[in-house]
Amino acid sequence: MTNYVYLLEWYGPFSNQKEVLEWEAEGIGNGKTYLYIFKGKKQGKRKYSYYCGQAYNQSAGRRLTNKGHHINEVINRPNELSIWVAKFQNITPQKRDVNLVEKLITSVMTQTIITDEEQVLNRTNKLRPHSIVYLINEWYEKDGNPLEHYKQNTMPKLLHDILICYPHNNSSSVYGNKQIQYISELK
């Protein structure tokens, strides 16, 4: 079985699609944005809704402006919207790589993090990967500075910094670390 290792740079939070497009034009970080994740509240709802998606043929900012996108379900409450976009740091991904990472994040969100499946807007791709996947999520502010402290109720606090998926016959074991901790300076 093949092992897949991915290192993602997540940037945000952005409050709307236009802000993402403007940021992408600045060219901070390595390469283009392939993945995005957002949380927001639907009109008349008290709980947050979540969505993880991919943008292989276009940037994440461009994808979020597509007609009929799920972000339109939460855009009417801009003060409640938080968007994060990701770039692959260690590879130039193929379509299968982007699919695999999206599948891992979405299945972990749906099956372990968000207990109410209705809160995850993804209609497909909620099932586990069938490959061994190692995912390291690094979080950055929009200006490219590392995010050192994760605030409560934010995507960095919600999504594990490290996710490891080991598939078995009919299930997968997922291991992770919520937040990587500083240890010390080395000489």
Side-chain angles (χ1 to χ4, degrees):
M1 186 173 287
T2 304
N3 296 348
Y4 296 94
V5 179
Y6 303 106
L7 178 56
L8 294 183
E9 298 174 349
W10 288 96
Y11 294 91
F14 300 96
S15 57
N16 59 56
Q17 302 102 310
K18 182 181 177 195
E19 194 178 340
V20 175
L21 287 169
E22 290 170 354
W23 177 85
E24 287 175 340
E26 293 177 26
I28 296 172
N30 301 319
K32 89 177 206 48
T33 53
Y34 285 95
L35 294 158
Y36 55 91
I37 193 165
F38 66 80
K39 77 173 197 168
K41 290 184 180 178
K42 292 182 179 184
Q43 200 67 25
K45 298 288 184 179
R46 295 177 64 192
K47 291 184 177 181
Y48 279 100
S49 293
Y50 301 87
Y51 188 88
C52 176
Q54 63 170 282
Y56 187 75
N57 294 321
Q58 54 191 327
S59 72
R62 217 22 94 209
R63 176 75 179 99
L64 288 166
T65 62
N66 289 163
K67 185 177 180 180
H69 193 283
H70 281 288
I71 199 163
N72 294 318
E73 297 175 40
V74 297
I75 203 73
N76 293 329
R77 293 176 72 178
N79 293 338
E80 303 287 348
L81 182 59
S82 174
I83 304 168
W84 291 80
V85 295
K87 297 180 175 194
F88 284 79
Q89 191 178 82
N90 61 325
I91 63 168
T92 300
Q94 301 293 317
K95 177 74 169 156
R96 71 150 203 269
D97 299 310
V98 179
N99 287 342
L100 200 53
V101 172
E102 179 193 24
K103 182 179 280 293
L104 176 59
I105 292 172
T106 304
S107 62
V108 167
M109 282 178 52
T110 304
Q111 297 180 41
T112 64
I113 297 173
I114 311 297
T115 55
D116 181 357
E117 190 175 327
E118 292 297 313
Q119 287 180 263
V120 180
L121 300 176
N122 296 67
R123 300 289 178 246
T124 60
N125 211 16
K126 293 182 180 181
L127 299 177
R128 67 186 172 85
H130 295 282
S131 303
I132 298 173
V133 182
Y134 300 88
L135 175 61
I136 300 172
N137 294 303
E138 292 182 340
W139 301 92
Y140 294 90
E141 297 174 20
K142 293 179 274 190
D143 62 6
N145 288 322
L147 192 63
E148 294 181 13
H149 303 287
Y150 302 169
K151 295 178 182 174
Q152 283 299 100
N153 301 316
T154 63
M155 291 311 300
K157 190 75 170 175
L158 183 70
L159 188 60
H160 294 74
D161 283 353
I162 298 173
L163 288 170
I164 303 170
C165 178
Y166 296 112
H168 307 292
N169 292 337
N170 295 320
S171 66
S172 290
S173 297
V174 177
Y175 298 87
N177 187 8
K178 206 59 157 159
Q179 184 175 0
I180 297 172
Q181 300 293 317
Y182 171 83
I183 298 172
S184 74
E185 294 292 324
L186 298 177
K187 296 180 183 183

